[in-house]
Amino acid sequence: MATKDIAYIALFAALTAALALFPPITVPLINVPITAQTLGVMLAGSILGARRGGLALVLFLGLVAIGLPVLAGGRGGLSVFAGPTAGFLVAWPLGAFVVGLLVERVWPRLNLATAFVANLVGGIGVIYVFGIAWLVVGFGVDPVAAVTGSAAFVPGDLIKAGIAATVAVTVKRAYPLIARA
């Protein structure tokens, strides 16, 4: 792995941490904040590709694990990996990997629509599957309640997917990192 790859990975881990600075929006009744950090997951995969995007989120979760307050609300430490949102959190590297893999597959014909679909599948679908499964298996939440509760986050995630797709297409035109991998 080249030094520039390590720099890109560190940059997107830092970007994901910086997105924690956006004030979280707490949804009444489910008491889980909507944060901007899944935008970091989508951007990492869309711009860096599968391998580097996934590694950026592995690095980010490593920073969380050692206790740095890089999650929204200044949270960090091993305890977040045992909470009800842990399934969503640990899915971030895989989500970034899948987004990157899909973007790489359509790279020659990447446009707003294909980038948006890649972010829907990896940045929303993969993360929700793991997050909802964690809620059901790890915390005994009724599957319908887990899906219904998670649905409150979908509109915000659709906006993030649109932003990530727009940035991905723009970066491809200006400075295509995936083609240079």
Side-chain angles (χ1 to χ4, degrees):
M1 181 175 291
T3 302
K4 70 176 182 176
D5 292 327
I6 295 169
Y8 289 140
I9 290 166
L11 177 67
F12 276 80
L15 172 68
T16 304
L19 287 169
L21 298 176
F22 284 92
I25 301 168
T26 301
V27 178
L29 302 177
I30 55 176
N31 200 25
V32 176
I34 295 175
T35 73
Q37 289 189 294
T38 50
L39 178 59
V41 174
M42 296 177 193
L43 288 173
S46 294
I47 295 172
L48 297 181
R51 186 174 57 104
R52 292 181 298 187
L55 287 173
L57 274 298
V58 168
L59 173 61
F60 176 80
L61 292 183
L63 298 175
V64 171
I66 64 172
L68 295 180
V70 292
L71 288 172
R75 296 176 304 128
L78 291 175
S79 65
V80 299
F81 295 104
T85 60
F88 295 95
L89 195 59
V90 299
W92 286 5
L94 182 60
F97 181 86
V98 170
V99 169
L101 188 65
L102 293 173
V103 168
E104 289 170 358
R105 298 278 177 184
V106 297
W107 184 255
R109 57 190 183 286
L110 184 72
N111 58 37
L112 197 55
T114 56
F116 185 73
V117 169
N119 281 287
L120 283 180
V121 173
I124 298 174
V126 169
I127 292 173
Y128 277 58
V129 165
F130 278 84
I132 291 170
W134 177 256
L135 287 171
V136 171
V137 175
F139 287 85
V141 175
D142 178 68
V144 174
V147 170
T148 305
S150 298
F153 300 95
V154 171
D157 286 336
L158 290 173
I159 293 169
K160 293 176 211 172
I163 292 169
T166 303
V167 171
V169 170
T170 304
V171 169
K172 179 192 176 196
R173 289 184 197 135
Y175 194 76
L177 296 176
I178 289 176
R180 294 179 182 184

